[in-house]
Amino acid sequence: MNRRILVIVASIIVLIGLLVGGYYLFFANGASLSVGLPGDPFGSSGDRDQTGLLGPDGQPIQGAGTVVAPRLIRISDAPVAKGAIALYIPPVLPVGTSTDPEIPADTEVRFIERQSGNIYAFRVHDRVLTRVSNRTLPGIQEATWSSDGSRAFARYLTRAADGTEHIDTYALPADGGEGYFLEQDLEQVAVQGSTTVFSLLPNSTGSIGSLSNTDGTNVSTLFTSALSRLHAGFSGNDLVLATKASSGLDGYAFLASRTTGAFTRILGPLRGLAVLPNTEGTSVLYSYADAGRVYLQVLDLSTRNSTALPLVTLAEKCTWAPGGRAVYCGVPTALAGNVPDEWYQGAKTFSDRIWRIDLDTRLATLIVDPGTVAGVAIDAVALTVDPVGDTLVFTNKKDGTLWVYDL
């Protein structure tokens, strides 16, 4: 009898053990997953911070970022999606006879943490970091922002059930509201101001360029072209498009009319051609390779005349200053090899100094040398300046960290 009781007890213990083991096998990892809200394809991380950028209570951090040198701050230690935006925050003045002190102007840098897809805002002068959206969208590689910072067009890789990889683009509102998907496998997304989106979709015969509102409405086809693998940027009311840069191929750049979609060639053939138009529609910064050397020039769109600049870098490592008459660039201390191909492929990285080039005087001014002042090597990409020219933001291609320099 006792033997029978022992067998029953042992069986119960084994059964309990199997149930507990099964629970941990199938559900233990569930605690780290985000639970999707109705209509939310990505989920929400609630009050939890999955990035390590905020404090343990998820509250804003005072004194955030790491000051590595005077006026040079590393905002994030973790990789961010390529592409941030710098917003000017005007001062808050006392009301009437109030004795409250004036709150000075500041710059707010908005960016997406790559691992989680959460949107963060960093106040440069106050050094306060806040998470403004906790929508979870893991693995974002790049983001293109509307000029008011209200929406980011986030791009990331997905894998279909048949194993094929695709590029998804999601319009991610900064306030955590509902967004929407754009067409799958877009080559590029460009945003003009806070109202207009240009998207480029490759197909079997070339590519299709479309325009829409930033809320996804009013979609229209601008052009259908036999050219593929184009790179686009707004230039005034029109677009500048260039073929993919390679030192082994002739490159061309075109001005595409916003009203007719017609192409007009403005540059080429030039090997390794890369372009960066200013938003005013007056000039195009461009780089190209010839006989193993790289050149940096600026094209005046009204006269079609080009002017050589005193420094050498790639156009992708630059951004326009407000007003469109100066550029800030990451200029490598050494620029050699099969460029830009090896740089695109990740086989080569650079250590940059940051320079400002005045296009009217062709005067180049050194802004900061991170290697000298902080002992850090930065391969600067995705540069951007706030609307009043107070701060310069850039990403280090070497590790994906985000940086800001107070101009």
Side-chain angles (χ1 to χ4, degrees):
M1 183 68 177
N2 291 338
R3 180 185 179 91
R4 184 176 179 182
I5 292 174
L6 289 174
V7 170
I8 293 172
V9 172
S11 299
I12 292 173
I13 292 173
V14 170
L15 180 60
I16 293 173
L18 289 173
L19 290 173
V20 173
Y23 172 84
Y24 279 100
L25 177 63
F26 292 103
F27 300 109
N29 292 331
S32 63
L33 298 178
S34 298
V35 180
L37 300 174
D40 179 2
F42 309 116
S44 170
S45 55
D47 292 330
R48 294 178 291 109
D49 176 57
Q50 300 174 334
T51 66
L53 291 174
L54 300 183
D57 56 357
Q59 296 302 308
I61 287 183
Q62 306 290 330
T66 302
V67 179
V68 299
R71 300 157 66 183
L72 180 63
I73 299 174
R74 184 176 63 243
I75 297 175
S76 71
D77 293 324
V80 304
K82 180 182 176 182
I85 187 169
L87 304 171
Y88 173 70
I89 308 299
V92 178
L93 303 177
V95 178
T97 59
S98 172
T99 58
D100 294 336
E102 173 184 336
I103 300 176
D106 206 338
T107 301
E108 181 173 289
V109 180
R110 291 192 176 186
F111 63 95
I112 300 178
E113 198 269 340
R114 186 187 297 174
Q115 181 179 359
S116 68
N118 290 175
I119 297 177
Y120 289 84
F122 177 76
R123 292 290 179 98
V124 175
H125 299 146
D126 288 344
R127 290 185 56 201
V128 175
L129 181 69
T130 307
R131 184 176 59 195
V132 297
S133 171
N134 59 6
R135 284 293 182 93
T136 302
L137 177 57
I140 295 178
Q141 296 302 306
E142 64 180 36
T144 304
W145 293 82
S146 60
S147 61
D148 59 1
S150 64
R151 194 182 301 268
F153 293 84
R155 291 161 57 76
Y156 59 101
L157 285 174
T158 58
R159 188 181 298 273
D162 61 2
T164 58
E165 288 189 340
H166 298 276
I167 299 174
D168 280 356
T169 304
Y170 186 75
L172 182 65
D175 63 3
E178 295 298 328
Y180 64 92
F181 281 102
L182 282 74
E183 289 185 89
Q184 197 171 56
D185 292 324
L186 292 175
E187 187 80 36
Q188 190 194 354
V189 172
V191 182
Q192 183 184 45
S194 60
T195 59
T196 307
V197 179
F198 171 79
S199 60
L200 191 65
L201 179 67
N203 61 13
S204 59
T205 60
S207 56
I208 301 172
S210 300
L211 294 170
S212 67
N213 296 335
T214 50
D215 62 3
T217 61
N218 197 27
V219 180
S220 62
T221 298
L222 177 62
F223 63 79
T224 299
S225 172
L227 297 173
S228 60
R229 308 200 72 181
L230 296 169
H231 179 81
F234 279 99
S235 174
N237 289 324
D238 298 319
L239 286 151
V240 169
L241 299 105
T243 53
K244 181 176 176 59
S246 172
S247 60
L249 296 173
D250 286 334
Y252 298 85
F254 306 88
L255 188 67
S257 169
R258 176 79 170 270
T259 55
T260 66
F263 280 31
T264 302
R265 190 175 76 178
I266 56 174
L267 288 168
L270 292 169
R271 297 291 175 99
L273 176 65
V275 302
L276 182 69
N278 65 6
T279 57
E280 290 77 10
T282 58
S283 303
V284 177
L285 183 75
Y286 67 98
S287 58
Y288 66 96
D290 183 36
R293 296 183 60 187
V294 174
Y295 297 85
L296 184 67
Q297 299 190 0
V298 62
L299 173 71
D300 186 313
L301 285 175
S302 62
T303 64
R304 296 293 197 269
N305 292 329
S306 291
T307 302
L309 297 180
L311 298 174
V312 176
T313 188
L314 304 177
E316 298 98 324
K317 297 175 71 64
C318 298
T319 189
W320 287 92
R325 298 309 305 160
V327 292
Y328 290 93
C329 297
V331 178
T333 54
L335 187 61
N338 184 19
V339 178
D341 303 63
E342 292 180 342
W343 184 66
Y344 291 154
Q345 297 160 5
K348 177 185 290 295
T349 61
F350 301 121
S351 295
D352 295 339
R353 299 184 180 103
I354 307 298
W355 290 78
R356 183 184 188 275
I357 307 174
D358 187 297
L359 302 185
D360 294 323
T361 63
R362 297 181 65 247
L363 176 66
T365 304
L366 179 64
I367 300 300
V368 64
D369 181 353
T372 298
V373 301
V376 59
I378 291 180
D379 189 354
V381 294
L383 288 79
T384 188
V385 180
D386 74 284
V388 298
D390 282 345
T391 52
L392 173 68
V393 181
F394 51 90
T395 299
N396 188 354
K397 188 174 185 286
K398 294 176 184 288
D399 57 11
T401 52
L402 186 64
W403 296 71
V404 62
Y405 186 79
D406 190 357
L407 297 170

